Amino acid sequence: MKIIMLGAPGAGKGTQAKMIADKYALPHVSTGDIFRANLKEGTELGMKVKAYMDQGALVPDELTVEILLDRVSKDDCKNGYVLDGFPRTIPQAEVLDKELEKLGDAVDLAIDVEVPDENIVRRMSGRRACVKCGATYHVEHIPPKQEGICDRCGAELIQRDDDKPETVQKRLSVYHEQTAPLIDYYTKKGILKTVDGTQDMDAVFGAITAIIDRH
Ligand code: AP5
Ligand code: MG
């Protein structure tokens, strides 16, 4: 099963993608996580993407597509995957469709996690992420058992550099201009499903599993 998670920055794509990956034993592929891991390790790719990410802009399609196609060609993706944060532009979606078509394959579901802009800035300012395993928390809604420490692996929790309110605003406008048109794109393909992302995370997950199980 190949699932795409759509939604504004902070809608909960990553939170839900991890839960889907666990329940259905699918790899969770997040272009944002891949870029952040490279930034942290100071790789050549990390240097290339830093300025874009810091400004809340998109990394150029050419670079992003190359990284994504390389990742999904790995063995663990043979039976499907959950894409989180990709595609983010129409050209990215078109390349993915073309590549899958060559293999006689296609995306099964695009799940849009809908959250109004007003809720987003509040969510982002409270987000904390594990430096080691990538687990995500929220200081109010989903707090770790011990402040600043990951429940899953015990490593340190940090705030992302691009979660500053000005950068969040920029990411939101980039989302509306460049990514939201994908809702129409996948609606036309007949595979778009929408869930209300303002509910608590278990309710959102319940809505998503109902969609996947019906598929
Ligand atoms: P990326 O890492 O993908 O960031 P994003 O899309 O801005 O999304 P986020 O990770 O911020 O939000 P999320 O929807 O995953 O929410 P989360 O689950 O964490 O991309 C970062 C950057 O990389 C981009 O700006 C761009 O520069 C670059 N990039 C990446 N992919 C690219 C691509 N394809 N093309 C070009 N550039 C690309 O949840 C947010 C918070 O809310 C958390 O604190 C969480 O605990 C909390 N929360 C989650 N669910 C709920 C709930 N139901 N109720 C209450 N709180 C909740
Ligand atoms: Mg994310």
Side-chain angles (χ1 to χ4, degrees):
M1 171 104 69
K2 294 179 183 62
I3 301 171
I4 289 173
M5 301 304 291
L6 290 177
K13 300 181 297 292
T15 302
Q16 297 298 329
K18 283 189 195 89
M19 294 164 84
I20 297 169
D22 284 347
K23 180 171 165 93
Y24 297 94
L26 293 170
H28 167 210
V29 176
S30 156
T31 37
D33 286 353
I34 295 173
F35 292 149
R36 276 185 292 280
N38 277 275
L39 268 174
K40 198 168 144 236
E41 283 159 28
T43 66
E44 201 180 316
L45 173 65
M47 318 271 211
K48 282 191 195 157
V49 302
K50 184 173 181 348
Y52 300 106
M53 290 183 78
D54 284 351
Q55 289 165 23
L58 294 185
V59 173
D61 284 343
E62 205 180 298
L63 191 55
T64 309
V65 162
E66 186 188 324
I67 301 300
L68 189 277
L69 293 181
D70 175 64
R71 176 64 190 90
V72 298
S73 69
K74 298 274 189 297
D75 242 19
D76 64 331
C77 288
K78 264 202 319 252
N79 296 321
Y81 39 79
V82 190
L83 296 188
D84 156 21
F86 186 99
R88 244 185 171 86
T89 64
I90 299 277
Q92 290 182 12
E94 287 172 345
V95 173
L96 178 65
D97 281 344
K98 254 188 229 132
E99 288 299 315
L100 287 172
E101 217 177 284
K102 283 187 205 160
L103 307 167
D105 206 348
V107 174
D108 294 280
L109 288 170
I111 301 176
D112 181 29
V113 183
E114 244 182 2
V115 178
D117 288 7
E118 307 82 271
N119 301 26
I120 298 281
V121 178
R122 219 174 320 133
R123 274 202 192 174
M124 305 299 242
S125 61
R127 172 164 56 185
R128 300 292 179 271
C130 174
V131 286
K132 197 165 159 213
C133 76
T136 312
Y137 301 86
H138 190 281
V139 290
E140 282 164 47
H141 311 300
I142 310 162
K145 292 198 183 79
Q146 194 186 336
E147 199 189 316
I149 305 290
C150 180
D151 292 350
R152 273 167 58 171
C153 74
E156 183 198 355
L157 300 180
I158 53 150
Q159 182 164 31
R160 266 169 51 175
D161 287 341
D162 60 351
D163 278 350
K164 293 189 295 261
E166 328 71 273
T167 317
V168 171
Q169 288 297 350
K170 167 74 182 167
R171 286 161 62 200
L172 271 173
S173 66
V174 167
Y175 166 77
H176 287 293
E177 275 163 34
Q178 305 197 48
T179 307
L182 289 173
I183 293 174
D184 213 34
Y185 180 90
Y186 289 113
T187 301
K188 285 188 181 133
K189 291 195 175 285
I191 60 168
L192 187 91
K193 304 285 174 192
T194 304
V195 295
D196 174 3
T198 62
Q199 311 168 85
D200 70 49
M201 81 178 186
D202 291 328
V204 178
F205 190 55
I208 290 176
T209 53
I211 290 166
I212 296 175
D213 294 342
R214 261 200 316 270
H215 185 74

